[in-house]
């Protein structure tokens, strides 16, 4: 059986990453979402193992020291976030495709450890639309939104580091495109080495 | 508008390339099939400009000398075959995807001239099935079929030179997979440079 793909999805706040991931998981039963670990305290409604793996500072540091994180970050406020390596490895070995929803710093670390990771940048149809979506949420101050847009601009400047860019204009179209990318990645020659060997072995038997 | 993709389809005789291409063209209105030129005489039922562009030896040589062939071959019996470059270029500039159905020697030449060409190798599900399909046609001598299978084995040995391998077990599945590859190629970052610039320009306007 072939190993599953590792997809990394990034994109600016407001691009609709979360909704895209949710829809992908609904549509594709062979896709698994990596759950990050964090040292911050759970917010109301967050479930351990679903929203995040909530860990102590000691557990986090030990995992990182033992090479058990695919990527991690320590925030200015002291909170730490990271992607546990073990479930990603296990799922891929079982032939499942795995999705990480992380930022560009995380993506760069993942690419170091797993060069075969496939980076997809979710792009808003326009910057005006990104701004509109952030305002529409109606939960944040103008100052906070301005900060998010500034960060978003920086992130879009780095979009060229990803292999694919998917514009999230209509949700189902964006999800279709990511499914096509997954399907194409499965047909990549590197993923199909065994079939070449199998057919050639078969040819050997038949020629004899 | 983005330039169309150049797909090269190869595969051993009996793998079902022709049927796959026919079905692809039926399903995808933005796909164009390159018509080869040849110096051989038309066979019964062949239509000039559809089956082949039938050209004289002089026309063929002039086209090749002027760099007007993406790839070409001179057969042992003196017949020449080649892919005219002009229609491929024009279609791609119009945003159409173009498909070439050629052999591995042709593919290697195309890759030299157009490194962005996407090579897809159509693989039979097994060598036994390839043999079965060739026998099923019932039009060729056992000796001729044996020759085709021998060449087929050589071709499968080179499948690793292609970017993608699509197993043609069930026709519609193979066509689905090639359509997914095309869709993914359109989302490749190199094809999406303009959208990054557009969104960043938009950001500039909004920030001011």
């Amino acid at each position: 059986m072939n190993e599953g793909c590792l997809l990394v999805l990034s994109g600016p706040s407001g691009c609709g990453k979360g909704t895209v991931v949710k829809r992908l998981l609904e549509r594709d039963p062979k896709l698994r979402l990596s759950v990050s670990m964090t040292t911050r305290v759970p917010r109301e409604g967050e479930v351990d193992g679903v929203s995040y793996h909530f860990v102590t500072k000691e557990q986090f540091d030990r995992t990182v020291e033992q090479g058990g994180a695919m990527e991690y970050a320590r925030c200015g406020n002291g909170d730490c976030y990271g992607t546990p390596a073990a479930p990603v490895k296990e799922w891929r070995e079982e032939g499942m495709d795995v999705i990480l929803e992380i930022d560009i710093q995380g993506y760069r670390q993942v690419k170091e450890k797993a060069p075969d990771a496939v980076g997809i940048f979710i792009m808003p149809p326009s910057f005006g639309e990104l701004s509109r979506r952030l305002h529409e949420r109606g939960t944040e101050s103008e100052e906070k939104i301005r900060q998010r847009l500034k960060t978003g601009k920086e992130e879009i400047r780095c979009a060229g580091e990803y292999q694919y860019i998917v514009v999230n204009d209509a949700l189902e179209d964006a999800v279709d495109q990511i499914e096509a990318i997954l399907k194409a990645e499965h047909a990549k020659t590197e993923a199909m080495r065994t079939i070449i060997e199998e057919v050639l072995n078969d040819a050997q038997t038949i020629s004899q």
Side-chain angles (χ1 to χ4, degrees), chain A residues 156-203:
Chain A
I156 293 167
R157 283 218 177 87
C158 300
E161 294 182 33
Y162 291 75
Q163 275 113 299
Y164 297 99
I165 293 177
V166 170
V167 177
N168 185 20
D169 195 350
L171 176 66
E172 295 298 323
D173 290 349
V175 175
D176 281 348
Q177 202 141 23
I178 296 171
E179 287 201 325
I181 290 168
L182 253 179
K183 201 163 187 158
E185 288 292 326
H186 287 151
K188 280 260 176 87
T189 304
E190 305 88 75
M192 298 290 279
R193 294 272 168 216
T194 48
I195 181 87
I196 305 183
E197 281 167 39
E198 278 169 24
V199 175
L200 286 175
N201 284 340
D202 190 25

Side-chain angles (χ1 to χ4, degrees), chain A residues 18-91:
Chain A
T19 320
V20 166
V21 168
K22 191 164 163 281
R23 197 74 193 95
L24 269 171
L25 292 167
E26 282 167 4
R27 281 173 50 170
D28 185 349
K30 287 198 68 188
L31 192 61
R32 294 289 175 273
L33 177 65
S34 154
V35 176
S36 297
M37 54 182 176
T38 182
T39 61
R40 78 157 165 73
V41 288
R43 290 179 195 142
E44 201 178 317
E46 285 185 338
V47 178
D48 188 29
V50 178
S51 319
Y52 285 96
H53 296 289
F54 294 100
V55 296
T56 63
K57 187 77 176 56
E58 291 66 38
Q59 288 173 312
F60 189 93
D61 290 341
R62 207 180 324 121
T63 306
V64 168
E65 275 161 31
Q66 293 173 350
M70 292 206 73
E71 56 86 30
Y72 67 95
R74 300 180 195 275
C75 293
N77 63 5
D79 290 342
C80 301
Y81 294 85
T83 300
V88 173
K89 186 166 175 283
E90 282 162 29
W91 280 325

Side-chain angles (χ1 to χ4, degrees), chain A residues 5-10 69-72 83 88 92 100 102-121 158-164 185 188 190:
Chain A
C5 285
L6 177 57
L7 290 192
V8 178
L9 254 70
S10 305
M70 292 206 73
E71 56 86 30
Y72 67 95
T83 300
V88 173
R92 294 189 72 190
L100 307 188
I102 54 178
D103 69 7
I104 184 140
Q105 278 80 17
Y107 172 59
R108 287 173 183 151
Q109 293 176 49
V110 168
K111 270 297 216 188
E112 289 279 318
K113 295 215 168 118
D116 65 345
V118 177
I120 302 178
F121 191 88
C158 300
E161 294 182 33
Y162 291 75
Q163 275 113 299
Y164 297 99
E185 288 292 326
K188 280 260 176 87
E190 305 88 75

